[in-house]
Amino acid sequence: MAQAIRMALHFAEKNLGVTDIFGEDVGPPLGGVFTCTQGLETAWNSPLDERGIIGAAMGLAMAGSRPVAEIQFCDYVYNTIDLLKLAGNTLWSSNGQWNLPMVVMTPVGSGIRGSIYHSHSFDATMTHIPGWKTVMPSTPLDAYGLMLSACKEQNPVMFLIPKALMRVKGDEAIPGEPGDDKQLSKMIDAPLGDRSKWKPQWPELVDASIPLGQAKVVRAGSQLTVVSYGRTMLLAKKAAETLAAEGIDAEVIDLRTLWPYDWPTLEASVKKTGRVLFLNEDTEVTNFGEHLARRVTEKLFYSLLAPPKVLAGKFVPGIGLADTLEAASVPQQHDVEQAMRALATMQP
Amino acid sequence: MAQAIRMALHFAEKNLGVTDIFGEDVGPPLGGVFTCTQGLETAWNSPLDERGIIGAAMGLAMAGSRPVAEIQFCDYVYNTIDLLKLAGNTLWSSNGQWNLPMVVMTPVGSGIRGSIYHSHSFDATMTHIPGWKTVMPSTPLDAYGLMLSACKEQNPVMFLIPKALMRVKGDEAIPGEPGDDKQLSKMIDAPLGDRSKWKPQWPELVDASIPLGQAKVVRAGSQLTVVSYGRTMLLAKKAAETLAAEGIDAEVIDLRTLWPYDWPTLEASVKKTGRVLFLNEDTEVTNFGEHLARRVTEKLFYSLLAPPKVLAGKFVPGIGLADTLEAASVPQQHDVEQAMRALATMQP
Amino acid sequence: MARDAKKLKPVKEFKPLITKSTELPLDPERLRFMHETMVKARCLEERLIAMYKSGHGYFWIGGPGEEAFNVPLGMLIKKGQGPAFDFCHFHYRQSATLLAMGEEPMGAIRQMKNTATDPYSGGRNFAGHFSKKEWNIVPVSSPIEVQYSMVAGTALAQKRHGGDGISIVTGGDAGTAEGDFATCLVWTSRPGEELPVLIIVTNNRWGISTPYEQVQGVEKISDRGVAFGMRTKTIDGNDPISAYLELKEAFEYVRTERKPYLVEARVSRLYGHSSASGANFNTVEADCLSQFEDKLDAHGIRTKAEAKALREKYAADYAELARVAKEEPFPDGSSIWNHVYAGEAPKDPLAD
Amino acid sequence: MARDAKKLKPVKEFKPLITKSTELPLDPERLRFMHETMVKARCLEERLIAMYKSGHGYFWIGGPGEEAFNVPLGMLIKKGQGPAFDFCHFHYRQSATLLAMGEEPMGAIRQMKNTATDPYSGGRNFAGHFSKKEWNIVPVSSPIEVQYSMVAGTALAQKRHGGDGISIVTGGDAGTAEGDFATCLVWTSRPGEELPVLIIVTNNRWGISTPYEQVQGVEKISDRGVAFGMRTKTIDGNDPISAYLELKEAFEYVRTERKPYLVEARVSRLYGHSSASGANFNTVEADCLSQFEDKLDAHGIRTKAEAKALREKYAADYAELARVAKEEPFPDGSSIWNHVYAGEAPKDPLAD
Ligand SMILES: Cc1ncc(C[n+]2csc(CCOP(=O)(O)OP(=O)(O)O)c2C)c(N)n1
Ligand SMILES: Cc1ncc(C[n+]2csc(CCOP(=O)(O)OP(=O)(O)O)c2C)c(N)n1
Ligand SMILES: [Mg+2]
Ligand SMILES: [Mg+2]
């Protein structure tokens, strides 16, 4: 997924008017702690100051530039919430004068043994901030296509990158990318050692953008619906396969855009199955899955065969380093299967 | 309510070990923009720096002092969310070594024509932060009693003050307060003009603390439950009276402590009525009312006669200054009545 | 770009700075413009206060007492849209600057009254919260000091764009305690990437009720720029002549060197912090307007009687404008859905 | 208070600073202690790196290269619990300071291995994230620079408490771009309310991969304190003798004057930023330990052979400790509910 984002940003700086890709260690030589910005022409290193990063992105957008700003880990975005709110209300406060075409991207979630400060989720906090669009892909192809749309947007977009999936290879190739992984790596991954003379060789990329606001039905099913995004999406997909073998037929929806989200797709699915699990890994109190559950319950109550279920992170102050702690804190494969099974078979 | 908080803080600095009451304009001469800290011995003016305020409170708590820090309006707390998270995880991260006995208080909500930046709610954001207790009174007596408990706590407490109720007089007196409002004002309100020689005359106050985590059934009823807190609590109470005249018997619960909240009281009420409205004025996406609705739905689904309803603020970037805008953005008396009526009469 | 070029002309064309006809270091025409604009600004703020006091507005905040600084500031701004022109990141005391740039007073009055016609926020925001995209005036927002974190962004675009457009940021003394002020110093002074930002602090020695001396150990706020290798100075913001000359020097440096300059201006706060603190005239602090009027009179540039007449004229004009605004409609409740997203139809996303 | 008094004694008692028996300005015993502690610190970090590289830990970050500064720092700290003693607001490169204060190395090894026995975080936090309430070592947390916002709080309590306890805060050069660094300068220098804080910046001229010169226009970071009227200096952090003497002067000032002092120490980063950047030895930067060993040898205080023997001894000792830690259990999954709230039983608040 890191490569997909890098290719999307390359396409965007070449074709979509992106002028600045910046943040801590985003420029050469490192090109981002997850390599998402290696070899990009407009990438530069900022001071270690998240408030300055968001503020500069806002200013650039105001002056007609098109910034993509990175917060190195979403764990470090929390001293900028006022600025994120401001970016989200500037158009509204000025009664339509100042829109802010800017993208903020940041790695989120658990799964790399990141301990307390490299495991945070940001979807709950972000979806509570009006005026933004929020995206979270679970495949490289979606990451590519959604990033292109983000870079075309007239409004601020928060692009959440599930860090557990950074190095995961997708089933579907990005148009233009060579079939061979090694070849791609040779072309666009910076070499070890001295990089001062290195230049990437970009594949011929095309505008395979994916509109914001469209969910994807990853697996059609009839007995229950699972709605997820990011790392837990993969758990849901695998769990659906496991349960299929047990005779439970689950529909799996990848939300992809968290705000504005694809209500028609959700509605149709829940009307069909009558059972729905909202799955994510942010802590579970005042969680975005609870918003989705509330809306489904309010609107589709009389179509429901069982209470909508939210499976999310435990309400603990952090994700501990030891594997045992992380496993107990955020949904694991087993938890997802169990929740789906329970939901599918629940009777009054 | 401002006087109640002031009296509680006086009691706390005299009897509960509170050492520092500080924030912007908290000390003399002003004693807080809402007069909550007039005449207090340990009140002092901080630099205009919210991060410094929260940081200093944490440091004071670490060193064995007992701070009550004020953020002048919750609208200005959003650049400190990282510090609030840190305060909430310090005990946990240090495996039990460092607890932080500190109180942060801040005015919240609409109702004073505060426009975009003096109308924010903070309950959704705050209840998503683990390790804190969060309180929001709707009467002066509760404000008094909950503040005393907050000042005794071993853990960080966020004390949200509904600013629309700052000047509202309660039905029940605070033990020790003179029956006559004018007399109380003469005793403890700072005079206009030169205050350098003024000293308050405190009434004889007692420890009327109210334990954190206990809701109050404000009105018993059988046909539906309304759960609220703060400004909207008063709307709920009044609406219940109006609806009673129409033959609809509503139970009204004042949550008072948002976290940890009083699940047994909620559960008992919803089991009885089968219909529940969660009412607050924070924006409605990823809202704390949605958490409550989710829990009720998951646990009490088969007792429900209608879908739990969340009535909250519209998902707009701000509350506009003009009355028309504010009225359209956050629940008003009429909206609450209408929602209760609809809920009470809803049939499949 | 055609449009840009058209806007290049300043508010008013003046003769060369130093003239022989007076000992004052500015030509009389400029001095009279300055004075008249200061009068307009004072009368406008006093009208807004009067509106507040008579219930035609919920909250007042503004810049009376700072006119001697804010008017020269506006006179030096290169107004227009886009990176070729100056960007203005202002706080809530900048009405005099807008007037000096040529803005009509009616907008401020409408915003005070929160009518739908308010050109800055459509009745959504407080008085003094200007926003004018045509002139690169970015929305004034209530949170103190956030503008100092944004200004590097517009300046970076300007540096890249070329030309002499600069970014200007203003804020108060107390606000410099926020980390954003330091952010501004850091981001505008990166080696080899210095940014054309005129960093201004108007020091009135108060943050609401808190005296500067009680909470800040910095003698001269401008000194905070020294470690960053930037030019700095502290100037008298109560004298419009010296303010003009000092600002002119700073503007020229930033425009041509494309580097930051930190200017602290000492100013008065003549009606207290805001309506929340009563908005009554403060008789202790220096009144830059009456001082300037004394000087103009002494130098035979404008007599006291003329000055008084001007004050009366504008007071009457703005009272009339307020009467007009009072008849204008408030925004419709349903308009809360307008402009949540650019390019999208207004709607409640959760409506059935 | 009885307990406080007992703890007053420093790590080790030394003779007077300057002795006649050597040209070096510190007595041989102190120099040998310093050296041995530096060796311990280096060996400990190298063991942690080895653990990481062999899969016995997920992430390493620490302070090799900073021993010449961090050991003297620890020697000067007045350790104990409560406001009578020094409070330590450290970042993640401070292991040498803890060892100099008398800490056992086993804790760091356990934290690296994230065992339940980790005394700092119970297997919850990364290596180098110390916390020890008994010695006022407040929890090291990953977010850069937040400690600079908290330090005023402990110092305020200390100033009020009386005595000579001070607060010490450490962090890196890149981090000074965060607003919290400025917050620290503002809050420690309020007029008449100055706080006893030793503000330290260890400048290794890197923030992960970003060179200092690329992003910061400040020549000497210590200059940022000048505008605030505080004492400042930039010192050589690679020489433990001068670091000791410079720190001693600063400690004494802060202890007795009860005012802040900003010290910037120039240090090396000998194994790169962290395990994320490979954690390999950097042969370009100065190695304070081998330089010090040359000096001690030249002055006949400790021969190279003795130094080598010490290194071998501690390397072996810590390898053994790591073997012990490897056998220790990880925390139980259910322990996530421990210590969410002080004084309350562990539980999932949403459990049925
Ligand atoms: C972040 C933030 N904190 C607090 C406030 C409340 N507030 C409004 S103005 C003000 C004082 C500002 O003082 P100063 O920066 O000196 O500017 P002045 O008003 O004196 O021009 C305060 C505390 C705010 N608007 N924003
Ligand atoms: C608020 C925050 N932003 C980003 C990071 C990621 N990060 C960890 S260390 C580091 C560089 C710190 O550099 P410096 O302050 O110079 O300290 P050094 O590591 O060089 O000692 C960064 C960017 C973080 N931990 N916290
Ligand atoms: Mg001021
Ligand atoms: Mg560094």
Side-chain angles (χ1 to χ4, degrees):
Chain A
M1 187 176 292
Q3 289 175 328
I5 289 167
R6 204 190 305 158
M7 289 190 279
L9 291 174
H10 168 69
F11 187 88
E13 66 181 7
K14 286 295 179 196
N15 304 289
L16 305 177
V18 163
T19 55
D20 294 84
I21 299 166
F22 69 106
E24 295 156 14
D25 305 293
V26 157
L30 192 59
V33 288
F34 289 102
T35 76
C36 290
T37 53
Q38 282 183 352
L40 297 170
E41 270 175 35
T42 62
W44 52 276
N45 291 325
S46 77
L48 203 178
D49 174 16
E50 288 76 15
R51 296 186 61 74
I53 292 170
I54 302 297
M58 293 170 70
L60 283 162
M62 284 172 162
S65 292
R66 243 193 193 283
V68 177
E70 179 178 277
I71 299 294
Q72 197 162 72
F73 292 90
C74 83
D75 312 61
Y76 304 126
V77 78
Y78 292 93
N79 61 340
T80 73
I81 306 294
D82 62 322
L83 295 174
L84 298 181
K85 287 175 68 74
L86 190 61
N89 75 30
T90 294
L91 178 72
W92 191 90
S93 303
S94 64
N95 207 22
Q97 291 181 70
W98 293 87
N99 65 309
L100 296 181
M102 58 188 268
V103 178
V104 175
M105 63 180 196
T106 189
V108 298
S110 67
I112 63 156
R113 289 149 170 166
S115 184
I116 307 172
Y117 274 100
H118 299 78
S119 304
H120 268 93
S121 292
F122 193 47
D123 41 304
T125 305
M126 195 61 218
T127 52
H128 189 63
I129 303 179
W132 283 75
K133 302 194 174 179
T134 299
V135 165
M136 188 160 168
S138 78
T139 72
L141 185 62
D142 282 354
Y144 182 83
L146 291 166
M147 181 58 91
L148 295 192
S149 292
C151 291
K152 292 176 186 175
E153 257 289 329
Q154 292 306 310
N155 299 288
V157 178
M158 179 61 66
F159 197 94
L160 306 177
I161 313 173
K163 67 173 93 73
L165 309 184
M166 257 330 161
R167 311 238 172 283
V168 167
K169 174 89 195 137
D171 299 334
E172 302 155 301
I174 291 161
E177 111 184 290
D180 179 14
D181 286 5
K182 284 213 185 106
Q183 196 191 332
L184 181 65
S185 173
K186 223 168 160 178
M187 289 167 74
I188 69 168
D189 289 347
L192 295 178
D194 182 23
R195 297 170 172 185
S196 56
K197 272 171 219 97
W198 171 73
K199 272 213 184 310
Q201 277 190 290
W202 298 104
E204 280 297 323
L205 297 165
V206 298
D207 183 354
S209 51
I210 296 169
L212 303 187
Q214 291 186 2
K216 185 163 72 179
V217 180
V218 168
R219 184 188 192 284
S222 59
Q223 284 170 278
L224 81 156
T225 303
V226 186
V227 179
S228 190
Y229 42 82
R231 179 186 73 88
T232 51
M233 186 60 223
L234 274 66
L235 305 182
K237 242 170 94 177
K238 192 158 165 225
E241 285 157 26
T242 306
L243 266 69
E246 299 171 18
I248 299 173
D249 184 27
E251 178 144 309
V252 181
I253 297 178
D254 187 345
L255 206 53
R256 304 199 293 189
T257 302
L258 278 51
W259 192 268
Y261 58 87
D262 187 347
W263 173 248
T265 297
L266 255 61
E267 188 180 32
S269 181
V270 177
K271 275 190 172 159
K272 177 172 68 174
T273 63
R275 297 170 193 266
V276 57
L277 169 68
F278 296 102
L279 170 64
N280 67 60
E281 61 167 310
D282 204 334
T283 48
E284 64 173 323
V285 176
T286 313
N287 174 295
F288 178 55
E290 296 183 322
H291 164 71
L292 297 173
R294 180 275 277 202
R295 192 161 180 202
V296 158
T297 308
E298 275 188 12
K299 307 276 181 200
L300 306 174
F301 190 68
Y302 300 108
S303 318
L304 291 173
L305 303 173
K309 166 89 187 153
V310 174
L311 178 61
K314 298 292 183 202
F315 196 54
V316 284
I319 292 184
L321 178 58
D323 281 345
T324 45
L325 301 177
E326 178 165 325
S329 302
V330 286
Q332 306 295 317
Q333 192 63 50
H334 168 79
D335 304 317
V336 176
E337 283 165 20
Q338 196 174 302
M340 285 169 68
R341 217 176 271 124
L343 186 62
T345 56
M346 192 176 208
Q347 300 297 342
Chain B
M1 187 178 293
Q3 290 174 328
I5 289 167
R6 204 188 307 156
M7 288 191 280
L9 291 175
H10 168 70
F11 187 88
E13 66 182 8
K14 286 293 179 198
N15 303 289
L16 306 177
V18 163
T19 55
D20 293 84
I21 299 166
F22 69 105
E24 295 156 15
D25 306 293
V26 157
L30 193 59
V33 289
F34 290 102
T35 76
C36 290
T37 52
Q38 282 183 352
L40 297 170
E41 271 174 34
T42 62
W44 52 275
N45 291 325
S46 77
L48 203 178
D49 173 17
E50 288 76 14
R51 295 185 62 73
I53 292 169
I54 303 297
M58 292 170 70
L60 282 162
M62 284 172 164
S65 292
R66 241 192 196 284
V68 178
E70 179 178 277
I71 299 295
Q72 198 164 69
F73 292 90
C74 83
D75 312 62
Y76 304 126
V77 78
Y78 292 93
N79 61 342
T80 72
I81 306 295
D82 63 322
L83 295 174
L84 298 181
K85 286 175 68 72
L86 190 62
N89 75 29
T90 294
L91 178 72
W92 191 89
S93 302
S94 64
N95 208 21
Q97 291 181 70
W98 292 87
N99 66 310
L100 296 182
M102 59 188 268
V103 178
V104 175
M105 63 180 196
T106 189
V108 298
S110 68
I112 63 157
R113 290 150 169 165
S115 184
I116 307 172
Y117 275 100
H118 299 77
S119 303
H120 268 94
S121 292
F122 193 48
D123 40 306
T125 305
M126 196 61 217
T127 52
H128 188 64
I129 304 179
W132 283 75
K133 302 194 174 179
T134 299
V135 165
M136 188 159 167
S138 77
T139 72
L141 185 61
D142 281 354
Y144 182 83
L146 291 166
M147 182 57 92
L148 296 192
S149 291
C151 292
K152 292 176 187 173
E153 256 289 330
Q154 293 306 311
N155 299 288
V157 179
M158 178 61 65
F159 197 94
L160 306 177
I161 313 173
K163 66 174 94 71
L165 310 184
M166 254 336 158
R167 312 237 172 283
V168 167
K169 175 89 195 138
D171 298 334
E172 303 155 301
I174 291 161
E177 117 185 284
D180 179 14
D181 286 3
K182 284 214 186 103
Q183 196 192 332
L184 181 64
S185 174
K186 223 169 158 177
M187 290 168 72
I188 69 168
D189 288 348
L192 295 176
D194 182 23
R195 297 170 172 186
S196 57
K197 274 172 218 97
W198 170 72
K199 274 214 184 307
Q201 279 189 289
W202 298 104
E204 281 296 323
L205 297 165
V206 298
D207 183 354
S209 51
I210 296 169
L212 303 187
Q214 290 187 2
K216 186 163 70 180
V217 179
V218 168
R219 185 187 191 283
S222 58
Q223 285 171 276
L224 81 157
T225 303
V226 186
V227 180
S228 191
Y229 42 83
R231 181 187 72 87
T232 52
M233 186 60 224
L234 274 66
L235 305 182
K237 241 170 96 176
K238 193 157 163 227
E241 285 158 26
T242 305
L243 267 68
E246 300 170 18
I248 298 173
D249 185 27
E251 178 143 310
V252 181
I253 296 177
D254 187 346
L255 206 53
R256 303 198 294 189
T257 302
L258 278 52
W259 192 268
Y261 59 88
D262 187 347
W263 173 249
T265 297
L266 256 62
E267 187 180 33
S269 182
V270 176
K271 276 190 172 159
K272 176 171 66 174
T273 63
R275 296 170 194 265
V276 57
L277 170 68
F278 295 103
L279 171 64
N280 67 61
E281 60 168 312
D282 205 334
T283 47
E284 63 174 324
V285 177
T286 314
N287 174 295
F288 178 55
E290 297 183 322
H291 164 72
L292 297 172
R294 183 273 278 203
R295 192 162 180 201
V296 158
T297 309
E298 275 188 12
K299 307 275 181 199
L300 306 174
F301 189 67
Y302 300 107
S303 318
L304 291 172
L305 304 173
K309 166 90 187 152
V310 174
L311 179 62
K314 298 293 184 201
F315 196 55
V316 284
I319 293 184
L321 178 58
D323 280 345
T324 45
L325 303 178
E326 178 165 325
S329 303
V330 286
Q332 306 295 318
Q333 192 64 51
H334 168 78
D335 304 317
V336 176
E337 284 165 20
Q338 197 174 300
M340 285 169 67
R341 218 176 270 122
L343 187 63
T345 57
M346 192 175 207
Q347 300 297 342
Chain C
M1 270 310 150
R3 160 178 208 178
D4 279 2
K6 212 182 72 210
K7 300 231 166 187
L8 245 165
K9 73 172 191 319
V11 170
K12 231 174 122 97
E13 298 291 348
F14 294 106
K15 296 187 206 114
L17 270 184
I18 314 262
T19 65
K20 274 163 220 144
S21 62
T22 166
E23 328 148 39
L24 293 176
L26 292 179
D27 60 288
E29 196 196 345
R30 198 180 314 242
L31 292 169
R32 281 191 290 264
F33 174 83
M34 224 174 219
H35 171 255
E36 184 163 344
T37 312
M38 287 171 68
V39 169
K40 286 163 76 172
R42 181 66 58 86
C43 290
L44 176 58
E45 292 288 9
E46 288 177 343
R47 173 48 46 196
L48 300 181
I49 292 169
M51 288 174 72
Y52 166 77
K53 292 193 172 176
S54 58
H56 291 286
Y58 300 128
F59 180 77
W60 168 82
I61 193 160
E66 300 190 2
E67 298 89 350
F69 179 80
N70 285 338
V71 165
L73 179 63
M75 290 169 72
L76 290 158
I77 286 169
K78 184 180 160 193
K79 75 175 184 199
Q81 189 171 344
F85 299 90
D86 292 351
F87 273 92
C88 302
H89 299 260
F90 288 161
H91 73 150
Y92 44 69
R93 300 206 192 276
Q94 227 67 49
S95 59
T97 307
L98 269 93
L99 292 177
M101 291 171 77
E103 182 63 334
E104 292 298 326
M106 188 58 171
I109 287 170
R110 288 177 163 143
Q111 190 168 43
M112 184 71 204
K113 180 70 188 164
N114 52 85
T115 59
T117 53
D118 153 20
Y120 311 121
S121 71
R124 293 174 173 185
N125 217 339
F126 278 157
H129 285 57
F130 302 106
S131 163
K132 188 167 175 125
K133 192 160 186 180
E134 249 184 292
W135 291 356
N136 284 348
I137 296 171
V138 313
V140 173
S141 73
S142 300
I144 293 290
E145 222 66 7
V146 289
Q147 66 273 28
Y148 289 86
S149 281
M150 290 187 285
V151 67
T154 53
L156 181 55
Q158 290 173 310
K159 183 143 190 175
R160 203 153 48 199
H161 178 273
D164 65 357
I166 71 169
S167 289
I168 300 143
V169 60
T170 64
D173 51 298
T176 62
E178 298 274 5
D180 300 68
F181 184 69
T183 285
C184 182
L185 301 177
V186 170
W187 283 71
T188 56
S189 64
R190 290 181 298 141
E193 304 281 346
E194 295 85 354
L195 296 177
V197 180
L198 180 55
I199 309 169
I200 292 170
V201 179
T202 49
N203 185 349
N204 59 20
R205 306 198 86 76
W206 290 103
I208 304 187
S209 72
T210 305
Y212 181 77
E213 293 71 18
Q214 195 179 88
V215 285
Q216 292 224 38
V218 175
E219 262 293 307
K220 278 161 60 190
I221 293 176
S222 61
D223 284 346
R224 289 194 53 190
V226 173
F228 296 85
M230 64 178 67
R231 285 223 193 167
T232 66
K233 62 183 167 188
T234 294
I235 70 170
D236 177 4
N238 274 328
D239 174 1
I241 298 176
S242 89
Y244 184 90
L245 296 172
E246 295 281 12
L247 277 171
K248 191 162 180 296
E249 187 261 343
F251 265 98
E252 277 164 10
Y253 173 86
V254 179
R255 278 204 205 295
T256 56
E257 298 295 319
R258 318 303 289 156
K259 288 183 178 168
Y261 203 132
L262 170 55
V263 175
E264 172 191 10
R266 299 286 169 93
V267 297
S268 292
R269 196 181 69 169
L270 274 187
Y271 280 87
H273 175 71
S274 70
S275 55
S277 58
N280 297 315
F281 190 79
N282 180 314
T283 53
V284 177
E285 303 209 12
D287 178 351
C288 60
L289 181 54
S290 67
Q291 283 180 354
F292 192 41
E293 291 180 348
D294 290 347
K295 190 179 274 188
L296 293 180
D297 187 51
H299 286 83
I301 291 167
R302 180 164 280 160
T303 66
K304 293 226 173 176
E306 287 164 349
K308 187 156 175 276
L310 274 177
R311 285 230 211 182
E312 281 161 7
K313 171 185 150 35
Y314 285 113
D317 284 0
Y318 298 165
E320 180 51 32
L321 293 182
R323 270 189 293 277
V324 173
K326 276 173 212 167
E327 304 305 320
E328 294 179 349
F330 293 113
D332 193 74
S334 67
S335 74
I336 60 170
W337 299 112
N338 296 351
H339 312 302
V340 177
Y341 290 106
E344 298 183 11
K347 67 154 194 280
D348 179 349
L350 300 185
D352 306 84
Chain D
M1 269 309 148
R3 161 179 205 177
D4 279 3
K6 212 182 70 208
K7 298 230 167 187
L8 245 165
K9 74 171 189 320
V11 171
K12 230 176 123 96
E13 299 290 349
F14 294 106
K15 295 183 205 118
L17 268 185
I18 315 262
T19 63
K20 275 165 219 145
S21 62
T22 166
E23 327 147 41
L24 292 176
L26 293 178
D27 60 288
E29 195 196 348
R30 197 179 315 241
L31 291 170
R32 280 191 290 264
F33 174 83
M34 226 174 220
H35 171 256
E36 183 162 345
T37 312
M38 287 170 68
V39 168
K40 286 164 77 171
R42 180 67 58 87
C43 291
L44 176 58
E45 293 288 9
E46 288 178 341
R47 173 50 43 198
L48 299 181
I49 291 170
M51 287 174 72
Y52 166 76
K53 292 193 172 177
S54 59
H56 290 286
Y58 300 128
F59 180 77
W60 168 83
I61 194 161
E66 298 190 3
E67 298 90 348
F69 179 79
N70 285 339
V71 165
L73 178 63
M75 291 169 73
L76 290 158
I77 286 168
K78 184 180 161 193
K79 76 176 183 197
Q81 188 170 346
F85 299 90
D86 293 350
F87 272 92
C88 302
H89 298 261
F90 288 161
H91 72 149
Y92 44 68
R93 301 207 192 276
Q94 228 67 50
S95 58
T97 308
L98 269 93
L99 292 178
M101 290 170 78
E103 181 65 334
E104 291 299 327
M106 188 58 171
I109 287 170
R110 288 176 162 143
Q111 190 168 41
M112 184 71 204
K113 180 70 190 164
N114 52 83
T115 59
T117 52
D118 152 21
Y120 311 121
S121 71
R124 293 172 174 188
N125 218 338
F126 278 157
H129 285 58
F130 301 106
S131 163
K132 188 168 175 128
K133 192 159 187 182
E134 247 185 292
W135 290 357
N136 283 349
I137 296 172
V138 313
V140 173
S141 73
S142 299
I144 294 289
E145 222 66 8
V146 290
Q147 66 273 27
Y148 289 85
S149 280
M150 291 187 284
V151 66
T154 52
L156 181 56
Q158 289 172 311
K159 183 144 189 173
R160 202 154 46 202
H161 179 272
D164 64 359
I166 72 170
S167 289
I168 300 144
V169 60
T170 64
D173 51 297
T176 61
E178 297 274 5
D180 301 69
F181 183 68
T183 284
C184 181
L185 301 177
V186 169
W187 284 70
T188 55
S189 64
R190 290 182 299 141
E193 304 282 346
E194 294 86 354
L195 296 178
V197 180
L198 180 55
I199 309 168
I200 292 171
V201 179
T202 48
N203 185 350
N204 59 20
R205 306 198 85 76
W206 290 103
I208 305 190
S209 72
T210 305
Y212 181 78
E213 292 72 15
Q214 194 179 89
V215 287
Q216 292 224 39
V218 175
E219 263 291 310
K220 277 161 58 190
I221 293 175
S222 61
D223 283 347
R224 289 196 51 190
V226 173
F228 295 85
M230 62 179 66
R231 284 223 192 168
T232 66
K233 63 183 167 188
T234 294
I235 69 169
D236 177 5
N238 274 325
D239 174 2
I241 298 176
S242 90
Y244 184 91
L245 296 173
E246 295 282 11
L247 277 170
K248 189 162 183 296
E249 188 261 345
F251 265 98
E252 276 165 10
Y253 174 85
V254 179
R255 279 206 205 292
T256 55
E257 297 296 318
R258 318 302 291 156
K259 287 184 180 167
Y261 203 132
L262 170 55
V263 175
E264 172 192 9
R266 300 284 169 95
V267 297
S268 294
R269 196 181 70 169
L270 275 187
Y271 280 87
H273 176 71
S274 70
S275 54
S277 57
N280 297 314
F281 189 77
N282 179 315
T283 52
V284 179
E285 302 208 14
D287 177 351
C288 61
L289 181 53
S290 66
Q291 284 179 354
F292 192 42
E293 290 180 350
D294 290 347
K295 191 180 275 187
L296 293 181
D297 187 51
H299 286 82
I301 290 166
R302 179 164 281 159
T303 66
K304 293 226 177 178
E306 285 165 351
K308 187 156 174 279
L310 274 178
R311 284 229 211 181
E312 280 161 7
K313 170 186 151 34
Y314 285 114
D317 283 2
Y318 297 166
E320 179 51 32
L321 292 183
R323 270 189 292 277
V324 173
K326 277 172 213 169
E327 304 305 319
E328 294 179 350
F330 293 114
D332 192 74
S334 68
S335 74
I336 61 170
W337 299 113
N338 296 351
H339 312 303
V340 176
Y341 290 107
E344 298 183 10
K347 68 154 193 278
D348 178 351
L350 300 186
D352 304 85

